[in-house]
Amino acid sequence: MISLNRFAGSVSALLKGLGVTLNYIVHPKRVVTREYPENRETLTFPERFRGQVVMPHDENNDHNCTACTLCEKACPNGSISILTTKNIASKRVLGQFVYRLSSCTLCNLCIEACPFDAIRMGHGFEMAGYTREELDLILNKKEGR
Amino acid sequence: MTPLSITHPLGDWIRQQLPSPFAAIANGLIAVIAIAMLVVVTAIFLVWLERKVCARFQARLGPTRVGPFGLLQPVADAIKLLMKENIRPRTVDQLAYFLAPLLPITGSFLVLIVIPFDHNLQVLDPDAGIVYVTAVSGMGILGVLIGGWGSNNKYSLLGSMRAGAQLFSYELSMVLCMLLIVMASGTASLRNIVLSQQGTILDWWIFKLPVAGLVAFLLFIVSSTAELNRGPLDLSEAEQELTGGFHTEYTGISFSMFFLAEFVNMFAAAGLGATLFLGGFLAPQIGWHPVDQLLAFIPGFIWFAAKAYFLIFLYMWTRWTFPRLRIDHLLSLEWKFLLPASLANLLLAATLVLFKWVIP
């Protein structure tokens, strides 16, 4: 025998579920789908959208990377290779930040591993290329620091 | 049985033009073609509506590319389904396998014939319309059972057996809800049931019988959802468990017949619900003269469509909100809860009718 209390609880839970979906249908602004190719210029993304990894550069074309290779170790696919070099003071600095987009799963682990905020998830998403080599990217703009 | 023409002027004109036996045949043909057109257009529109409403419930956009608002998407789908090869697996029972897809669409076609769309817009009005509807609506499940058996596949068989168990269970409470309306209105003809609800909104059976009408309406919605094989009670096709259930082996045109029948059935059930509980083609009168005049000016078939589509929205709302039940939960819901509840509700309604405790 179903107790009345449990019955009322079930009915209120069902109504709550109906309320959640009704809320979606009466608020068209909550639609998350973005239409694509016509409006490529005006396309906006949510803040936390994860596109391909980028390395932000400041106005002097400098970046925050110290070539500590923590991101390289964090990457489960081996998509990142840090090629180091030495500067004039024979200090170890970043030579080339090699990022293989073809094997990247956009998992965000390298960004979490980075202690200097040198890399972040960008909003680029058009990742098709004709050869595999086109997807081997070098993220830093100049060698050294 | 009182045969009614589709519309009086057209029927009369044909009767003037042709000698009597041919006029009846011509009128009947027009009626059949009109219902067939309604079946096709409704099915295509409802496929679009289902996808669109489902998308908005899930914060998506749905089809937007083919035609304005994606309206031509189901047409494109239909063309694709027609062009596909109609595969015949080697081990199927040929007669059963190819007969089955025809039955559900026939059943919904036969139900639509007796539904009163407007004062003079009903093909046939049998005195025992309710009995007729319950009889022919079983053809849909018959098609599912035959198709599942004829497919010679364990998933199809399980799905169709589930569909059968579900139908025999939920048919009971659905018929008890209909019986309540028959008892209250004193007639089983669908047209007269609508005419018994004339007056204001409070004269519709959902409100006219205090509490009992509303409870019967809710029971009708739940049991007809099960009858229609729609989520959350779509056990017979449960794609996660049964890879599509009874239509596992079907492709192309055979599959699309099952698919379209499902949507037309939904329209027929919604139309039936609107006829029984929401005053059918009658305009909603609120008892204030100027507004009532304006509302009565809108033709009845528009009111019928509005009420039917409101019920269809309810079906879609529940489908895209609730998860699917387990088969034993489904059956115990019917036998341990809905059936006793509808019997008690019938008793309550009988008391109300006997002592005339209805809202005047």
Side-chain angles (χ1 to χ4, degrees), chain A residues 9-61:
Chain A
S10 315
V11 169
S12 77
L14 290 178
L15 291 178
K16 197 175 166 188
L18 288 173
V20 169
T21 44
L22 188 70
N23 195 10
Y24 275 116
I25 209 166
V26 297
H27 290 105
K29 281 189 176 166
R30 294 185 67 179
V31 168
V32 292
T33 310
R34 299 283 195 278
E35 293 208 66
Y36 173 54
E38 297 86 359
N39 56 350
R40 184 178 281 148
E41 282 76 31
T42 56
L43 204 59
T44 54
F45 289 99
E47 188 54 33
R48 288 162 60 193
F49 178 82
R50 301 213 300 239
Q52 66 192 61
V53 172
V54 292
M55 177 177 277
H57 286 68
D58 64 9
E59 62 274 10
N60 300 325
N61 246 357

Side-chain angles (χ1 to χ4, degrees), chain B residues 233-256:
Chain B
L233 310 177
D234 58 341
L235 267 296
S236 59
E237 42 193 285
E239 49 273 47
Q240 291 87 347
E241 310 155 31
L242 295 178
T243 67
F246 62 90
H247 57 62
T248 306
E249 297 287 352
Y250 283 95
T251 46
I253 182 81
S254 313
F255 168 73
S256 63

Side-chain angles (χ1 to χ4, degrees), chain A residues 2 7 14 17-18 21-22 24-25 28 30-33 35-38, chain B residues 53 56-62 64-65 313 317-318 320-322 336-337:
Chain A
I2 311 162
F7 177 70
L14 290 178
L18 288 173
T21 44
L22 188 70
Y24 275 116
I25 209 166
R30 294 185 67 179
V31 168
V32 292
T33 310
E35 293 208 66
Y36 173 54
E38 297 86 359
Chain B
V53 169
R56 297 311 285 274
F57 274 132
Q58 300 173 345
R60 294 185 289 115
L61 284 175
T64 54
R65 292 284 144 176
F313 178 75
W317 190 8
T318 45
W320 298 111
T321 301
F322 300 140
K336 290 182 186 167
F337 181 72

